Amino acid sequence: MDIWKFIQDQVLGMKWLNEQIGGLLSMLGLDTEARIGGSIQFFLYDVLKITVLLYFLIFVISYIQSYFPPERSKRILGRFHGVGANIISALLGTVTPFCSCSSIPLFIGFTSAGLPLGVTFSFLISSPMVDLGSLILLMSIFGAKVAVVYVLVGLVIAVAGGALIEKLHMEPYVEEFIRKAGGVDIEAYTLTVWERIQFAKEQVASTFKKVFPYILIGVGIGAVIHNWIPESWIEAVLGGDNPLGVVLATLVGVPMYADIFGTIPVAEALLYKGAQLGTILAFMMAVTTLSLPSMIMLRKAVKPKLLALFIGICTIGIIFVGYLFNVFQFLLI
């Protein structure tokens, strides 16, 4: 237990880094207990911590992803049927892109290739919501139990949502150009270990360039919440006394666009200020899964009725998860 606590606090949470930054700021004459000094410490610590984790996670996940190019993923998914296909598709989503806008082109490709619509939607829900990066980052803040349960529940939403869409036979509500595009089989050549490493390095550079601005924005918001907004305000809006806190957090998260890396510092600050765990996780799920830009992109591929069904399934699932985590928060933290 002590070893795991050390890993969570010092390796994943990097609390030693926070102490070093606090000491350095104190040497420079800043009071880290005051609002300005505390905000600067929070900002520097979270940016550095998330950047280090980001580099490591993207490299590892991209290396794994090199074994699952779109054509191979399509062949894997084509071997399964029924709910089993939804489960495999949701699991495959955990080793693919970090945000919903990156997942949608793959979703379109899978759908054009003739894979069952419910299977492709399980992938689309899972990919931004429960990637491997979210597991590690959630561990760094909320602990292993919360992270594991979060990922498992996210996979359940992805599987159930895809299965429901399959049962409702929504294929006519996919745009015509997608249904008639047809799949193009591209034979993937076997990559060497060095080529996979190079691919992973390129993905690190490309992904970091895209997500770093959102990290800065997220950490900036987190610093403001952490040091400037009274705890009583957060508890009143997102605490246990507000039964609509989960719904509010979900609705606030939908118009935003970020990935798991940008939402983590906001979640960290909200938890510190007394927001309930499920409410925070509902906000994170809404931001990463139902962001407005990704919904605009998805509308190009599906008709309004299918888009509304997808949004409805995800929203209901996220709200359910939020209340579930709030009820069992005492067991998880």
Side-chain angles (χ1 to χ4, degrees):
M1 186 64 69
D2 290 339
I3 294 176
W4 175 247
K5 182 171 176 56
F6 174 80
I7 292 173
Q8 181 180 322
D9 291 345
Q10 303 301 332
V11 178
L12 298 177
M14 298 185 196
K15 290 189 175 179
W16 59 269
L17 177 62
N18 195 32
E19 293 170 2
Q20 293 295 320
I21 292 172
L24 179 60
L25 292 176
S26 296
M27 288 174 57
L28 296 175
L30 279 173
D31 181 5
T32 56
E33 297 297 322
R35 284 182 172 179
I36 294 178
S39 297
I40 294 173
Q41 181 180 6
F42 183 96
F43 185 85
L44 293 175
Y45 163 62
D46 263 37
V47 167
L48 289 174
K49 178 184 72 172
I50 294 174
T51 297
V52 171
L53 289 174
L54 176 65
Y55 264 82
F56 174 75
L57 290 171
I58 296 176
F59 183 87
V60 172
I61 294 171
S62 297
Y63 188 88
I64 296 171
Q65 188 183 337
S66 69
Y67 288 93
F68 299 95
E71 59 275 5
R72 185 181 183 190
S73 300
K74 185 191 75 174
R75 288 199 297 270
I76 292 172
L77 293 176
R79 296 173 190 164
F80 297 87
H81 304 282
V83 176
N86 294 98
I87 293 172
I88 297 300
S89 181
L91 290 172
L92 195 61
T94 64
V95 292
T96 47
F98 295 94
C99 68
S100 49
C101 284
S102 302
S103 306
I104 288 172
L106 281 174
F107 159 79
I108 292 173
F110 290 155
T111 305
S112 299
L115 290 175
L117 188 63
V119 173
T120 59
F121 266 99
S122 287
F123 168 84
L124 184 62
I125 297 170
S126 166
S127 181
M129 186 185 289
V130 291
D131 60 67
L132 294 178
S134 65
L135 178 65
I136 303 299
L137 284 172
L138 286 168
M139 280 184 182
S140 73
I141 293 176
F142 300 113
K145 286 192 290 186
V146 172
V148 171
V149 174
Y150 172 89
V151 170
L152 289 176
V153 172
L155 288 172
V156 169
I157 293 175
V159 172
L164 178 60
I165 288 173
E166 190 73 27
K167 290 291 184 183
L168 293 176
H169 303 291
M170 300 299 291
E171 288 79 7
Y173 297 98
V174 176
E175 291 292 352
E176 196 76 11
F177 78 94
I178 300 291
R179 287 190 284 129
K180 292 188 174 180
V184 178
D185 288 322
I186 303 173
E187 194 64 34
Y189 64 92
T190 302
L191 297 175
T192 65
V193 172
W194 176 248
E195 287 171 329
R196 295 186 193 281
I197 291 173
Q198 290 301 112
F199 169 78
K201 288 169 64 176
E202 290 169 4
Q203 289 294 100
V204 168
S206 173
T207 306
F208 186 78
K209 189 183 299 183
K210 286 189 291 186
V211 305
F212 189 65
Y214 299 107
I215 293 174
L216 295 178
I217 293 171
V219 175
I221 294 172
V224 170
I225 293 172
H226 193 277
N227 294 282
W228 295 86
I229 296 181
E231 188 172 320
S232 58
W233 292 12
I234 300 295
E235 288 182 343
V237 178
L238 301 179
D241 293 336
N242 184 3
L244 296 178
V246 171
V247 177
L248 179 62
T250 303
L251 295 177
V252 168
V254 169
M256 300 178 66
Y257 173 61
D259 48 43
I260 192 72
F261 299 105
T263 57
I264 281 288
V266 179
E268 184 179 14
L270 288 173
L271 185 69
Y272 176 82
K273 284 292 186 176
Q276 287 195 291
L277 175 63
T279 306
I280 295 169
L281 295 180
F283 168 76
M284 292 172 59
M285 281 184 164
V287 172
T288 55
T289 308
L290 294 173
S291 67
L292 188 59
S294 65
M295 293 303 98
I296 292 172
M297 287 179 63
L298 186 58
R299 172 61 187 91
K300 302 294 183 182
V302 302
K303 296 178 181 178
K305 188 171 182 178
L306 179 51
L307 179 64
L309 177 62
F310 169 74
I311 293 172
I313 289 171
C314 291
T315 302
I316 292 170
I318 289 169
I319 291 173
F320 171 76
V321 169
Y323 283 113
L324 185 69
F325 270 91
N326 281 348
V327 170
F328 293 103
Q329 177 171 338
F330 72 98
L331 294 174
L332 297 170
I333 294 183

